[in-house]
Amino acid sequence: MIRRILIGICVILLLIGVGIIMREKPKGYKEYKSFTELQKYERENIDYRIKAYHRNPEILVMAIHGGNIEIGTGEVAVDLGEKLNSSTYVFEALKPKDNQMLHIASTLYDEPTAVSMAKEAKTILSIHGYHDEKKENVYIGGRNDEYKKIVKKYLKKEGFHVEEAPRNLKGTQKNNIVNRNELGEGVQLELSTKLRKSFFKDDDFAMNNRKQETEEYDKFVEALEKATLKYKQKELE
């Protein structure tokens, strides 16, 4: 009897050990190359969370690097999508550290819900962030030139500094998730760290402070709302 109990305990410990090994991350990896790979090592609703709001699919609002990857982008996407009654997709990294590993490049992004929602949309507005602590800036890219022009105009009108995206952030590749829609073109915004910090009280990125948005945040979301409504009226109606 005791022998059986000991054997049972050994089996359980062995299975636990196998589970730990299977969840051990590949050495030398900086970020995952696919959602399938990410799923092998990260736990949904613990390490990451997906928010998908199925509304009017004409213009999909996305933030595929939200949560603790490119902080502030998910908040903008959720609030903008709600104001527009637009379908919205957000991937949120929730880990206390090492969230950059959960960054899947836009050209490789293959999470099934995101891909499906992108295909249903006529065009997409994708919100991203890049590292720059010194300058409040927005880089604008993507293949939808008319939408880009209108977004740029409305952001500048509200006092935001907007520049054409550099080559590495241009978002013009056809396999970029922002362009995988009915028109084959979307708009990709890259917000600097300094700008995104200005969206929250005391420039504080702490998770428990991200509900305390500033006037700057409200102005930014409102500018995108007005630009999107103008684009829809001009091009989609």
Side-chain angles (χ1 to χ4, degrees), residues 137-152:
N137 185 53
V138 180
Y139 283 135
I140 190 165
R143 299 171 65 89
N144 191 326
D145 292 333
E146 189 57 40
Y147 194 6
K148 278 170 59 179
K149 191 191 305 179
I150 296 170
V151 168
K152 191 173 184 179

Side-chain angles (χ1 to χ4, degrees), residues 22-72:
M22 286 179 70
R23 282 209 175 271
E24 185 182 345
K25 294 172 180 60
K27 290 179 181 178
Y29 270 47
K30 290 185 178 178
E31 55 187 50
Y32 295 115
K33 305 300 182 187
S34 71
F35 185 71
T36 302
E37 184 182 36
L38 183 150
Q39 278 185 307
K40 288 180 185 176
Y41 307 104
E42 311 295 346
R43 300 158 296 174
E44 188 170 7
N45 297 319
I46 297 173
D47 300 319
Y48 72 92
R49 174 171 57 216
I50 291 169
K51 292 180 177 178
Y53 303 93
H54 297 270
R55 304 185 184 110
N56 186 332
E58 275 191 323
I59 297 178
L60 173 63
V61 181
M62 303 188 89
I64 63 171
H65 303 142
N68 294 328
I69 305 174
E70 295 165 1
I71 298 172

Side-chain angles (χ1 to χ4, degrees), residues 8-148:
I9 291 170
C10 288
V11 169
I12 291 168
L13 289 172
L14 180 62
L15 289 172
I16 291 170
V18 169
I20 290 168
I21 291 167
M22 286 179 70
R23 282 209 175 271
E24 185 182 345
K25 294 172 180 60
K27 290 179 181 178
Y29 270 47
K30 290 185 178 178
E31 55 187 50
Y32 295 115
K33 305 300 182 187
S34 71
F35 185 71
T36 302
E37 184 182 36
L38 183 150
Q39 278 185 307
K40 288 180 185 176
Y41 307 104
E42 311 295 346
R43 300 158 296 174
E44 188 170 7
N45 297 319
I46 297 173
D47 300 319
Y48 72 92
R49 174 171 57 216
I50 291 169
K51 292 180 177 178
Y53 303 93
H54 297 270
R55 304 185 184 110
N56 186 332
E58 275 191 323
I59 297 178
L60 173 63
V61 181
M62 303 188 89
I64 63 171
H65 303 142
N68 294 328
I69 305 174
E70 295 165 1
I71 298 172
T73 59
E75 288 77 8
V76 169
V78 168
D79 287 343
L80 178 61
E82 188 174 356
K83 282 176 175 288
L84 292 167
N85 192 35
S86 289
S87 287
T88 306
Y89 174 93
V90 177
F91 176 94
E92 290 184 333
L94 304 173
K95 299 167 67 146
K97 63 177 183 176
D98 298 329
N99 287 280
Q100 190 60 33
M101 195 167 186
L102 278 69
H103 179 288
I104 301 172
S106 301
T107 52
L108 300 174
Y109 203 81
D110 59 352
E111 193 282 312
T113 301
V115 172
S116 173
M117 291 178 79
K119 284 180 181 177
E120 289 177 8
K122 286 190 179 295
T123 192
I124 295 169
L125 177 62
S126 190
I127 315 294
H128 292 261
Y130 74 99
H131 185 77
D132 185 346
E133 299 269 5
K134 296 180 179 179
K135 186 178 178 183
E136 290 188 10
N137 185 53
V138 180
Y139 283 135
I140 190 165
R143 299 171 65 89
N144 191 326
D145 292 333
E146 189 57 40
Y147 194 6
K148 278 170 59 179

Side-chain angles (χ1 to χ4, degrees), residues 148-160:
K148 278 170 59 179
K149 191 191 305 179
I150 296 170
V151 168
K152 191 173 184 179
K153 176 185 173 182
Y154 277 85
L155 285 176
K156 283 191 167 186
K157 190 176 178 181
E158 289 298 328
F160 294 99

